[in-house]
Amino acid sequence: MSIPFDQYEAVIGLEVHAQLQTNSKAYCADGTLFGLSPNEQVSPISLGHPGTLPVLNRSAIDYAIKMGLATNCEINHFNAYARKNYFYADLPKGYQITQHTTPICTNGKVTIEVNGQKKNIGITRIHMEEDAGKSIHDIDPFHTLVDLNRAGVPLIEIVTEPDFRNADEAYEYLTLIRKLVRYLEICDGNMEEGSLRCDCNVSVRKKGASEFGTKIEVKNMNSIRNVKRAIEYEIERQITAIEAGEKLYQQTRSFNAANGTTFDMRSKEAANDYRYFPEPDIPPFIVTEADIETVRQSMPALPEELFARFKTEYGLSAYDAGVLSDDRFIAEYFENLVGESKNYKQAANWVMGPVKSYLNERAIDIKEFPLTVAHINSIMQLVETGKVSHTVAVQKIYPVLLENPGKDPLQIAQELNLIQESNAGAIEELVKQALAKFPEKVEEYKSGKTSLVGLFMGEVMKLSKGKADPKMANELVIKYLNA
Ligand code: ADP
Ligand code: MG
């Protein structure tokens, strides 16, 4: 029996947890660094010992507001915290302090683009909460170990409406969310280290049905690509099960990256198992319009705005504008370079080409790049004024400059004897030599084989050791061939 996959559609909603890059934890002064030895950042407050009291971290609130503004949410003025009770070894207090009925941000939307189609995704809410510690099952063969460094690190949870209809849309959304948290510098967006995590809620229904199908939650994907794989697998699995007459029930499944499948983790707890109640140790607090305005003022231009500016003001292609606005600090570098050079396309090519390859090869970010925009601008000047060709600039001068950022590019060009020959007399001599070397090819050219210009150009460039101004050489070669 073949399975009629195309009679179904998927419905997907995403819950993203982002670890906030604050210096201290959500409700106490313990540090938040990743990768320390276990249990180095754990005070009695993180452990919830009797007599300790949590205190709100103001930065965490500002970060949540930033994300709310970046995703077009309403920012709610009245904020309260609740205790979400459950028992687990990595949760020393026995409850998580979270926002329950009063999420700080609600009713937002972001726009994604898939295959040239724009689509809005509704943001149901963003609320603040705290992370749990980490249980480690694979070090000791007989015991589970626990590292509480992460316990109490502030999180925001970003919940979408069930607006996605396929895995590609989810992929684009997560790429956008990661870009936004990095632009805002509120989270490092690293899925491998778990600072950005995504739970996918997936259901399927017959096309045209008005009710949603049974929702299944999938966890433990450590990359955006794996989220896509998990959703694709899950859609196919659910349709296959329904077609085989199985009844699906709500459950939480885990993704196995090794073989691209999902497996049952637990059937979902009902919401009231958590016995939420208002957190007695943190009074509700008010976010004022003035607070929101202060946060708004502190925000950088967002990728969408930069993309539009690069396209319309600088006349770049959508592709170039997309690459350059992908990372906030690359975009800033590019804008500074444009400010110096006013040569938009050249500047774009330098940043997207030589600069980005250097960063990619070393897996570093632009903040660690050794050359200032003034450096790149002076190399660009050498090309623009015809002193060196673009190829020589990229292949010969740029690598030397990277090693010696103190040097002047012009000086490097002179020392390496790279200044282009743009003296017509000198080039004419070389053209004559080149023609004299291949008299029979000159005849072939004259009888119509015009592609031979390339051969003579090659010869002239060789004779000049790559230093002849190619434009001038080309003109002279043609002039002499037609003489
Ligand atoms: P829960 O209380 O189980 O966490 P929520 O109603 O808070 O459920 O929804 C969690 C996420 O699941 C949201 O992103 C929402 O859009 C999504 N969702 C809700 N119902 C469905 C469904 N039938 N299929 C797919 N996703 C769903
Ligand atoms: Mg939920």
Side-chain angles (χ1 to χ4, degrees), residues 175-415:
T175 305
L176 174 63
I177 292 295
R178 186 176 60 187
K179 200 189 300 184
L180 286 176
V181 297
R182 288 179 172 166
Y183 256 75
L184 298 170
E185 294 191 284
I186 61 174
C187 167
D188 66 23
N190 188 334
M191 285 189 79
E192 290 80 54
E193 289 178 0
S195 24
L196 195 71
R197 307 195 280 275
C198 175
D199 301 340
C200 302
N201 299 274
V202 183
S203 65
V204 298
R205 62 178 170 183
K206 274 271 169 71
K207 279 181 184 161
S210 53
E211 306 260 302
F212 287 157
T214 303
K215 167 182 90 159
I216 285 163
E217 190 173 353
V218 189
K219 290 182 181 293
N220 297 330
M221 289 77 70
N222 65 357
S223 69
I224 298 183
R225 200 177 79 85
N226 280 341
V227 170
K228 181 166 147 80
R229 290 171 72 203
I231 293 173
E232 279 165 354
Y233 174 82
E234 196 51 34
I235 293 171
E236 203 175 304
R237 185 190 72 81
Q238 290 181 22
I239 296 172
T240 308
I242 293 169
E243 284 292 316
E246 267 177 56
K247 183 157 166 36
L248 297 176
Y249 56 96
Q250 278 208 22
Q251 62 177 167
T252 301
R253 299 175 70 88
S254 182
F255 180 64
N256 176 349
N259 63 11
T261 64
T262 65
F263 58 93
D264 188 19
M265 250 168 91
R266 57 181 139 94
S267 57
K268 178 110 182 147
E269 314 89 316
N272 62 7
D273 275 357
Y274 292 124
R275 301 189 68 91
Y276 283 98
F277 65 85
E279 167 58 55
D281 291 337
I282 301 179
F285 71 94
I286 305 294
V287 174
T288 65
E289 274 308 315
D291 293 335
I292 298 171
E293 210 34 54
T294 308
V295 172
R296 197 195 301 278
Q297 295 303 330
S298 74
M299 286 169 60
L302 296 180
E304 214 174 347
E305 183 187 334
L306 293 179
F307 178 82
R309 175 150 78 223
F310 294 173
K311 254 178 69 176
T312 52
E313 262 180 56
Y314 303 164
L316 299 181
S317 67
Y319 176 80
D320 290 1
V323 172
L324 290 167
S325 62
D326 193 47
D327 177 285
R328 170 180 162 193
F329 297 97
I330 294 219
E332 280 177 7
Y333 192 91
F334 168 67
E335 287 219 278
N336 292 335
L337 182 57
V338 160
E340 292 230 348
S341 76
K342 304 282 181 257
N343 192 339
Y344 306 129
K345 183 58 189 162
Q346 271 255 48
N349 287 345
W350 269 95
V351 175
M352 297 194 318
V355 175
K356 277 198 77 168
S357 348
Y358 181 88
L359 304 177
N360 291 343
E361 275 160 25
R362 284 160 188 78
I364 58 174
D365 68 43
I366 187 98
K367 290 177 183 174
E368 300 161 83
F369 185 58
L371 303 184
T372 64
V373 292
H375 281 121
I376 300 293
N377 188 35
S378 37
I379 307 194
M380 282 170 58
Q381 289 298 322
L382 290 181
V383 178
E384 259 170 75
T385 53
K387 290 206 171 54
V388 300
S389 68
H390 179 74
T391 315
V392 164
V394 173
Q395 293 179 358
K396 301 256 163 67
I397 302 179
Y398 178 64
V400 177
L401 189 60
L402 283 164
E403 296 302 316
N404 311 275
K407 277 201 169 167
D408 173 31
L410 177 61
Q411 186 198 343
I412 295 173
Q414 282 162 343
E415 281 174 12

Side-chain angles (χ1 to χ4, degrees), residues 85-248:
N85 299 282
Y86 64 95
F87 175 79
Y88 203 75
D90 63 17
L91 188 78
K93 299 199 291 279
Y95 56 85
Q96 182 190 26
I97 304 180
T98 174
Q99 289 195 304
H100 183 41
T101 54
T102 62
I104 185 156
C105 314
T106 44
N107 241 338
K109 76 165 168 56
V110 293
T111 308
I112 56 166
E113 192 175 317
V114 178
N115 301 327
Q117 290 286 105
K118 288 199 156 73
K119 175 168 179 174
N120 284 339
I121 301 297
I123 305 291
T124 315
R125 64 171 201 271
I126 302 177
H127 67 257
M128 297 181 285
E129 56 183 39
E130 62 177 322
D131 215 340
K134 220 175 170 159
S135 295
I136 300 159
H137 306 287
D138 54 5
I139 292 185
D140 186 302
F142 303 110
H143 303 94
T144 288
L145 306 178
V146 68
D147 174 8
L148 297 174
N149 282 342
R150 202 175 71 174
V153 168
L155 297 176
I156 48 174
E157 179 174 341
I158 309 159
V159 183
T160 74
E161 291 293 298
D163 284 347
F164 304 96
R165 291 294 172 272
N166 57 57
D168 290 331
E169 292 175 0
Y171 186 94
E172 288 307 317
Y173 168 81
L174 288 173
T175 305
L176 174 63
I177 292 295
R178 186 176 60 187
K179 200 189 300 184
L180 286 176
V181 297
R182 288 179 172 166
Y183 256 75
L184 298 170
E185 294 191 284
I186 61 174
C187 167
D188 66 23
N190 188 334
M191 285 189 79
E192 290 80 54
E193 289 178 0
S195 24
L196 195 71
R197 307 195 280 275
C198 175
D199 301 340
C200 302
N201 299 274
V202 183
S203 65
V204 298
R205 62 178 170 183
K206 274 271 169 71
K207 279 181 184 161
S210 53
E211 306 260 302
F212 287 157
T214 303
K215 167 182 90 159
I216 285 163
E217 190 173 353
V218 189
K219 290 182 181 293
N220 297 330
M221 289 77 70
N222 65 357
S223 69
I224 298 183
R225 200 177 79 85
N226 280 341
V227 170
K228 181 166 147 80
R229 290 171 72 203
I231 293 173
E232 279 165 354
Y233 174 82
E234 196 51 34
I235 293 171
E236 203 175 304
R237 185 190 72 81
Q238 290 181 22
I239 296 172
T240 308
I242 293 169
E243 284 292 316
E246 267 177 56
K247 183 157 166 36
L248 297 176

